[in-house]
């Protein structure tokens, strides 16, 4: 099974940004963890990150027909990117939106996700584990 993980803006600054919320683990730590857990699940994982909305849309479009599922953390774009919503809508494979923090227990503006309605579901609040739960959901949905 081939799964694409897409990370949006500022996630490359993990370990530097707001450690009280996102923890001390770096972006490299996150990628290493996702890769090692995916191996155990017999999943081929490709992890991409961009701070630029259009690049994230390109990642989604370029994955068309090539992957069995997508895990996406759109970062702040979660809360306002109709363009990413539309790109996700055009993809047929299952998609899981993930967040490190619990977006529902933070500021009001974070409680709305415009991208989640274009996904199969959302996992929020489990730190690095959110990604693994997302990958497991895709595996369990089939395709292996
Ligand atoms: C985030 C939550 C977003 O609100 C925020 O803008 C991020 C990270 C998370 O993983 O908890 O950049 O997506």
């Amino acid at each position: 099974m081939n799964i694409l993980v897409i990370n949006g803006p500022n996630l490359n600054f993990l370990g530097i940004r707001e450690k009280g919320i996102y923890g001390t683990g770096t972006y490299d730590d996150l990628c290493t963890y996702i890769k090692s857990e995916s191996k155990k699940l017999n999943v081929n994982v490709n992890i991409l990150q961009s701070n630029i909305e259009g690049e994230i849309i390109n990642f989604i479009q370029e994955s068309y027909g090539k992957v069995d599922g997508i895990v996406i953390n759109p970062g702040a774009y979660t809360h306002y990117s109709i363009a990413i919503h539309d790109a996700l809508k055009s993809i047929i494979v299952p998609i899981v939106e993930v967040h490190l923090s619990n977006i529902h227990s933070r500021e009001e503006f974070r409680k709305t996700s415009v991208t989640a309605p274009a996904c199969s579901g959302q996992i929020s609040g489990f730190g690095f584990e959110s990604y693994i739960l997302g990958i497991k959901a895709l595996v369990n949905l089939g395709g292996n």
Side-chain angles (χ1 to χ4, degrees):
M1 191 172 186
N2 294 308
I3 291 178
L4 174 63
V5 175
I6 301 174
N7 282 306
N10 298 308
L11 289 159
N12 56 317
F13 253 45
L14 284 178
I16 300 167
R17 71 185 293 214
E18 301 184 274
K19 292 179 197 166
I21 294 170
Y22 299 113
T24 53
T26 65
Y27 185 66
D28 272 357
D29 293 338
L30 173 64
C31 293
T32 302
Y33 186 60
I34 293 171
K35 283 176 193 157
S36 72
E37 292 301 306
S38 296
K39 210 170 185 180
K40 292 182 201 163
L41 295 166
N42 212 15
V43 163
N44 293 320
V45 73
N46 184 24
I47 309 171
L48 302 174
Q49 190 274 330
S50 178
N51 292 325
I52 301 164
E53 187 178 28
E55 276 184 6
I56 294 168
I57 293 163
N58 287 342
F59 293 160
I60 295 165
Q61 291 186 354
E62 283 157 15
S63 79
Y64 184 78
K66 294 182 191 147
V67 299
D68 303 305
I70 297 175
V71 169
I72 183 165
N73 182 347
Y77 287 135
T78 303
H79 314 298
Y80 66 93
S81 178
I82 307 298
I84 292 177
H85 168 107
D86 287 349
L88 293 170
K89 270 284 198 189
S90 65
I91 297 293
I92 310 152
V93 296
I95 303 165
V96 182
E97 177 172 303
V98 300
H99 297 283
L100 295 154
S101 64
N102 181 353
I103 59 170
H104 304 285
S105 67
R106 298 181 62 194
E107 301 98 322
E108 273 310 306
F109 69 86
R110 290 189 206 276
K111 292 180 182 168
T112 300
S113 170
V114 301
T115 45
C119 300
S120 304
Q122 183 197 64
I123 296 166
S124 176
F126 299 98
F128 285 8
E129 210 54 40
S130 291
Y131 290 78
I132 312 308
L133 292 168
I135 290 167
K136 284 184 177 167
L138 293 175
V139 169
N140 291 342
L141 278 171
N144 210 358

